[in-house]
Amino acid sequence: MTKIISWNLLRLTGARVGDVVRLAKHERPDLLLMQEATRDIDALADYLGGFYARVPLPGRIHGLALWSPSRLPKPLVLKLPSGAVVDRVCQIVDLGAFSVANVHLSHGQLLNRRQLRHIAQHLPARAAVLGDYNLVGPALLPGFADIGPRESTHVCADMVPLRLDRCYARGLSCVEAAALNRHNSDHRPIMVKLAVGEAQLAA
């Protein structure tokens, strides 16, 4: 069983490296995925050891990062179909039994679904896609099941609760899922415990 946490940190004004360290020490994930991670988060391995990798979004001060207490292969950085405002990439890391994609998708509801289909083409039979989907409604990703927590993870304009942070997977089952306390970010971290085995596809 593999415990994974994904958290949009909220660049500059949100969660800082100390917040991430406290979360990692309390939850002890096998893999911690981050979105909107800035250079400040690069100190994470100095506090925790382990393996760390960050990739900025093109032309931005923030991007995607991941940390694990175990040594991992260097993540693949995959360029995604881009919108008019922000170019996007994702990180894909091979955990051995399955691969994980760390994503922060575009806001366009057609574009972010196209980005997901593009990512799926680069994943093995057993894989999970976690992160900030910026998605309203189902992902419409063939072969993948929505197995993450069902609670809202973000409040838009302090009024509208949205479940932007998701986990879709194929060839995997979810043993446990939860949305955690958001601390200093505007997003709640999501936690999943994944095992190899077919999940029931969402209707």
Side-chain angles (χ1 to χ4, degrees):
M1 187 169 57
T2 303
K3 182 176 182 178
I4 304 175
I5 290 176
S6 172
W7 193 12
N8 184 322
L9 304 178
L10 181 58
R11 62 188 181 278
L12 297 180
T13 58
R16 306 303 294 269
V17 65
D19 300 304
V20 181
V21 168
R22 284 188 288 275
L23 177 72
K25 286 184 174 181
H26 183 262
E27 293 291 335
R28 299 185 178 275
D30 300 300
L31 179 64
L32 174 59
L33 308 174
M34 292 156 278
Q35 302 88 44
E36 297 199 17
T38 61
R39 188 176 297 173
D40 171 62
I41 305 302
D42 291 348
L44 195 59
D46 295 336
Y47 290 97
L48 297 174
F51 177 81
Y52 173 82
R54 182 174 69 91
V55 55
L57 298 183
R60 300 282 165 159
I61 64 169
H62 62 88
L64 304 170
L66 60 83
W67 174 83
S68 173
S70 303
R71 182 68 189 175
L72 296 176
K74 183 179 178 180
L76 168 69
V77 177
L78 179 66
K79 187 178 186 301
L80 302 183
S82 295
V85 180
V86 180
D87 291 330
R88 304 278 177 170
V89 297
C90 84
Q91 289 177 306
I92 299 175
V93 62
D94 182 0
L95 299 185
F98 60 94
S99 290
V100 173
N102 179 20
V103 301
H104 189 185
L105 303 177
S106 294
H107 290 86
Q109 297 302 293
L110 295 177
L111 178 57
N112 54 26
R113 288 167 171 84
R114 185 155 62 94
Q115 290 169 340
L116 283 170
R117 293 193 296 271
H118 180 75
I119 293 166
Q121 293 173 359
H122 292 81
L123 295 175
R126 292 193 295 267
V129 182
L130 289 94
D132 182 351
Y133 277 46
N134 276 318
L135 189 67
V136 178
L140 305 176
L141 188 60
F144 281 75
D146 183 355
I147 61 174
R150 300 295 169 153
E151 301 101 315
S152 61
T153 62
H154 177 74
V155 178
C156 182
D158 294 325
M159 291 183 294
V160 182
L162 298 170
R163 189 169 68 98
L164 298 184
D165 304 272
R166 311 274 186 101
C167 175
Y168 274 72
R170 68 182 174 198
L172 302 171
S173 59
C174 186
V175 178
E176 183 180 348
L180 309 176
N181 293 331
R182 67 184 181 93
H183 303 285
N184 291 322
S185 176
D186 60 343
H187 285 251
R188 297 173 69 184
I190 62 169
M191 182 280 296
V192 293
K193 294 181 181 178
L194 303 181
V196 173
E198 292 295 336
Q200 182 179 356
L201 292 181

